């Protein structure tokens, strides 16, 4: 998936069969017959577009010269061996995974606008869901309705399968919407995101379907306070570990540290999970243009 995202970032190509070589004087894009017309529409004319008969690697390898970086994070052992066999003798292959991801971190204005619109769509879907109410509907029904609605609002689709987790299912960080019917007086966790112009949003909300007991309300308020504090800590120059600690320390002080086993957040862009990372072991430092989630739940 990350390799596809890198290709889209560099070339604009949204298909699943493509290779690109990018350098100071090189702009090469290769795809097969199925995506030739799409490439004409999406890949800028600064790229030389070539069509491969069957396999993409042989068509690209003959164009390689000098020191060539390859995305080792998304290249299989088999494809690397094939590339080494096909590349000319004067081509030096060098592992270069992570270079494009680093470029993708700092969003430009048009990227920020797409992410903001994707977030706005998700927010509008939440409002629409609440108008119809949640009680008496199955988790799956609510999930399907939300994904249909975001498409009606102009999204390409969901950025990940929508999570609707009622009652005890809310304790599962990556629950799958099932046949459980949503009842009254319980908490319902809904986690959804939309894709707009190739960019994702990721938005989680917890709703109460009636009066809650004292413990449930206290935990909800604690998470809300931790999220607000975490949001306030997000700024350029601060480490991902430090932002995580702001929210984590509050939850731990309230006696719920053992229930906070995940990281506070992650970057969002062409992929719904990308750099940087907010967590206990993060080495990332936030820079201008980063877009991150803050989700201490």
């Amino acid at each position: 998936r990350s390799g596809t995202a890198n290709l889209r970032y560099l070339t604009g190509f949204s298909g699943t069969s493509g290779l690109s070589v990018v350098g100071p004087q090189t702009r090469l894009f290769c795809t097969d017959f199925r995506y030739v017309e799409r490439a004409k529409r999406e890949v800028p004319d600064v790229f030389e577009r070539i069509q491969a008969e069957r396999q993409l690697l042989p068509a690209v390898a003959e164009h390689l010269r000098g020191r060539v970086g390859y995305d080792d994070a998304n290249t299989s052992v088999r494809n690397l061996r094939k590339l080494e066999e096909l590349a000319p003798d004067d081509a030096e292959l060098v592992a270069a995974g992570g270079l494009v991801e680093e470029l993708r971190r700092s969003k430009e204005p048009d990227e920020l606008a797409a992410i903001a619109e994707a977030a706005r769509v998700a927010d509008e879907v939440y409002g629409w869901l609440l108008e119809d109410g949640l009680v008496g509907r199955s988790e799956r029904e609510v999930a399907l309705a939300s994904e249909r609605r975001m498409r009606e609002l102009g999204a390409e689709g969901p950025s990940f399968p929508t999570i609707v987790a009622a009652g005890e299912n809310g304790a599962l960080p990556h629950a799958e919407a099932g046949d459980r019917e949503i009842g009254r007086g319980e908490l319902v966790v809904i986690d959804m995101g939309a894709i707009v112009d190739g960019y994702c949003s990721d938005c989680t909300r917890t709703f109460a379907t009636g009066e809650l007991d004292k413990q449930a309300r206290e935990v909800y308020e604690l998470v809300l306070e931790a999220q607000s504090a975490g949001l306030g800590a997000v700024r350029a120059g601060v480490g991902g570990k430090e932002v995580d600690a702001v929210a984590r320390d509050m939850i731990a002080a309230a006696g719920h540290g053992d229930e906070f086993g995940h990281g506070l957040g992650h970057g969002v862009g062409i992929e719904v999970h990308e750099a940087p990372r907010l967590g206990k072991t993060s080495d990332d430092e936030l820079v201008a243009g980063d877009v991150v989630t803050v989700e201490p739940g």
Side-chain angles (χ1 to χ4, degrees):
R1 170 62 179 146
S2 180
T4 305
N6 286 344
L7 188 66
R8 182 163 187 169
Y9 179 80
L10 292 172
T11 69
F13 180 68
S14 63
T16 57
S17 177
L19 280 178
S20 183
V21 182
V22 178
Q25 283 81 42
T26 304
R27 299 287 188 279
L28 181 68
F29 177 83
C30 178
T31 189
D32 62 53
F33 171 81
R34 298 169 298 166
Y35 292 104
V36 168
E37 292 303 319
R38 176 180 289 194
K40 288 179 181 178
R41 297 178 184 181
E42 296 180 343
V43 180
D45 289 337
V46 294
F47 283 84
E48 177 188 355
R49 294 187 292 264
I50 60 176
Q51 178 181 338
E53 291 301 321
R54 294 185 64 182
Q55 300 295 321
L56 304 188
L57 282 177
V60 170
E62 63 185 67
H63 294 269
L64 303 181
R65 297 291 185 276
R67 188 174 168 85
V68 180
Y70 67 91
D71 189 352
D72 58 315
N74 295 287
T75 302
S76 68
V77 173
R78 176 180 294 179
N79 280 338
L80 176 58
R81 288 173 178 167
K82 186 182 298 182
L83 187 59
E84 289 172 335
E85 293 172 1
L86 294 169
D89 292 339
D90 60 347
E92 179 190 1
L93 299 177
V94 180
L99 287 180
V100 180
E101 285 86 347
E102 193 61 30
L103 291 174
R104 284 167 45 195
R105 267 192 61 173
S106 187
K107 274 55 176 188
E108 298 179 0
D110 58 336
E111 296 177 288
L112 293 172
I115 296 170
E117 178 61 14
R120 188 200 66 78
V121 167
D123 199 47
E124 185 169 338
V125 172
Y126 275 120
W128 175 80
L129 283 175
L130 293 185
E131 287 178 3
D132 286 349
L134 299 174
V135 175
R137 306 168 72 182
S138 72
E139 295 172 337
R140 181 178 288 108
E141 177 190 346
V142 173
L144 291 174
S146 69
E147 293 182 1
R148 181 176 65 250
R149 183 58 178 162
M150 68 177 65
R151 285 189 170 91
E152 292 172 348
L153 293 172
E156 297 171 29
S159 53
F160 55 92
T162 298
I163 295 170
V164 180
E168 69 283 355
N169 291 340
L172 306 175
H174 286 168
E176 295 180 356
D179 294 327
R180 186 195 189 283
E181 185 176 293
I182 299 171
R184 293 191 181 278
E186 63 183 5
L187 291 172
V188 182
V189 178
I190 303 180
D191 190 358
M192 74 169 78
I195 302 175
V196 173
D197 294 334
Y199 284 81
C200 301
S201 62
D202 181 1
C203 183
T204 309
R205 294 288 181 266
T206 301
F207 300 103
T209 59
E211 287 299 317
L212 300 174
D213 61 40
K214 181 182 178 182
Q215 183 185 26
R217 181 175 289 277
E218 288 177 349
V219 170
Y220 180 92
E221 295 296 338
L222 172 63
V223 171
L224 179 59
E225 291 176 14
Q227 185 189 35
S228 297
L231 287 169
V234 172
R235 62 184 182 276
V238 177
K241 184 184 301 184
E242 285 68 41
V243 179
D244 176 271
V246 168
R248 189 174 302 279
D249 290 350
M250 293 178 65
I251 289 177
H256 295 286
D258 289 344
E259 282 74 52
F260 192 175
H262 55 87
L264 178 66
H266 54 84
V268 178
I270 293 179
E271 292 181 288
V272 74
H273 296 98
E274 58 181 52
R277 190 168 59 86
L278 309 180
K280 291 189 293 185
T281 60
S282 173
D283 294 324
D284 294 325
E285 180 178 295
L286 296 181
V287 298
D290 279 338
V291 178
V292 295
T293 65
V294 176
E295 39 188 328

